[in-house]
Amino acid sequence: MDSTSASLLLQLRRPNQNGAWKRFVDLYAPLIFYWGRGHGLNGADASDMVQEVLAVVLAKLPEFEYDPKLRFRGWLRTVTVNKAKDLLRRKAVRTTGDFDENLHSVSGEVDLFDEIEYRSFLVNRALEVMK
């Protein structure tokens, strides 16, 4: 996708354009998600951020004037980066709270590789104990 479709942006400004919104989300949600992951968000947070960015687009689109000389994706990326930074700041504030809350949030983010590695360690340790 080299450029943003001006006709798609115009359709989004009109009411009841569900097909246009579906196309927009299909095109841009993966890109927004990718940008969020690139700024250090985990999958769940990046998904939440996608929703926040789409809400900004929905709110700003009625006043948005497309200029082919400027890049819509540049504006979208700026919104995304700002939302990613906001989300990371909010998480940083939350992690300074109670230790049990921090432990719970960390335990929910253990990825599959860590789990496999941990189980392998336990099996090896059990075999050593049995010897």
Side-chain angles (χ1 to χ4, degrees), residues 52 79-91:
E52 290 182 25
V79 171
T80 300
V81 168
N82 289 336
K83 287 295 180 184
K85 288 178 181 178
D86 289 347
L87 192 56
L88 289 170
R89 274 192 292 268
R90 288 192 309 251
K91 278 189 82 157

Side-chain angles (χ1 to χ4, degrees), residues 42 91 94-95 98-110:
N42 65 31
K91 278 189 82 157
R94 281 192 307 228
T95 58
D98 187 55
F99 177 77
D100 289 335
E101 289 177 25
N102 291 339
L103 185 60
H104 178 68
S105 69
V106 169
S107 68
E109 297 176 4
V110 174

Side-chain angles (χ1 to χ4, degrees), residues 12-67:
L12 295 175
R13 293 178 71 174
R14 290 187 228 133
N16 301 321
Q17 293 296 315
N18 294 338
W21 277 107
K22 180 179 178 353
R23 182 163 182 246
F24 182 86
V25 169
D26 289 345
L27 288 172
Y28 287 100
L31 183 60
I32 296 167
F33 182 86
Y34 173 79
W35 287 335
R37 294 285 288 167
H39 276 81
L41 298 178
N42 65 31
D45 289 338
S47 293
D48 290 344
M49 186 215 48
V50 168
Q51 297 300 316
E52 290 182 25
V53 170
L54 292 175
V56 168
V57 171
L58 180 64
K60 294 292 184 182
L61 209 51
E63 63 195 44
F64 184 81
E65 290 293 328
Y66 180 69
D67 182 350

